[in-house]
Amino acid sequence: MWKRFEIPGIFSMNIPEESEPYSTENEGSLIIPLPTEPKTEIIMSIIPVSDPSGVTYELLENELRAFVEESIKPVADLTAMNFEPPVEIHSPDLYCSQAMLTLSNRNWWVVRAYAYEGTDRYLMVHWNGPKLLLMTVALKVLISIELFAPAPEV
């Protein structure tokens, strides 16, 4: 069974009924434990962009690549990396860029960045684990993510 999880004004997504999301105190990330064997989790963070003009198609892809280079490569033995350019999803001006990474232990690491064009932040989401769990659990969660449109300026 699945339930809808929402952080009002930011995003909503489907998660397994047994999952109880929690946030980290010092890193500001949201952790969603998945009821899988072996245990896996989805980690989500809202990250501000440094460019004052806000998120663009190119910036989102560059941020994703930088995250993989700076945060994943130093801790994972990657054997292959595939970066997909941002695509428009769910609504106009909402983009998702994705990286599919394979590790030496035959696990997969999926990284996605979601953002509305022109906003000052993006949502970074990642998961790693066995390929079977990618297909049966993790992707079901990842493809259900919906960002709420930013409030119009008055």
Side-chain angles (χ1 to χ4, degrees):
M1 298 292 294
W2 294 80
K3 63 183 176 184
R4 196 76 181 159
F5 174 74
E6 178 179 313
I7 294 187
I10 301 176
F11 70 89
S12 69
M13 63 195 294
N14 294 330
I15 62 173
E17 190 74 39
E18 309 84 45
S19 293
E20 293 298 329
Y22 64 93
S23 60
T24 59
E25 298 272 333
N26 53 353
E27 295 176 20
S29 295
L30 180 70
I31 312 294
I32 301 170
L34 299 177
T36 58
E37 192 56 51
K39 297 292 183 194
T40 63
E41 58 193 18
I42 290 177
I43 302 172
M44 309 174 78
S45 300
I46 296 172
I47 301 173
V49 295
S50 56
D51 189 329
S53 60
V55 172
T56 63
Y57 179 92
E58 295 82 15
L59 178 86
L60 192 61
E61 185 173 11
N62 291 340
E63 292 286 338
L64 181 72
R65 287 178 181 277
F67 180 80
V68 169
E69 288 292 325
E70 297 166 13
S71 299
I72 295 177
K73 280 181 86 173
V75 298
D77 187 15
L78 300 177
T79 57
M81 297 187 298
N82 179 34
F83 291 91
E84 299 173 14
V87 294
E88 199 170 74
I89 59 169
H90 305 301
S91 63
D93 300 324
L94 173 58
Y95 292 98
C96 175
S97 187
Q98 175 173 281
M100 299 289 284
L101 316 168
T102 55
L103 288 76
S104 61
N105 65 0
R106 302 178 56 91
N107 279 355
W108 286 68
W109 203 317
V110 181
V111 186
R112 285 183 155 202
Y114 300 83
Y116 276 96
E117 189 169 23
T119 57
D120 63 352
R121 62 187 177 177
Y122 61 95
L123 179 65
M124 182 69 72
V125 181
H126 58 104
W127 171 90
N128 78 70
K131 185 176 183 178
L132 177 63
L133 297 179
L134 170 65
M135 300 303 184
T136 59
V137 180
L139 279 180
K140 287 182 180 181
V141 175
L142 294 173
I143 64 173
S144 76
I145 295 173
E146 293 184 37
L147 256 60
F148 297 126
E153 293 186 26
V154 181

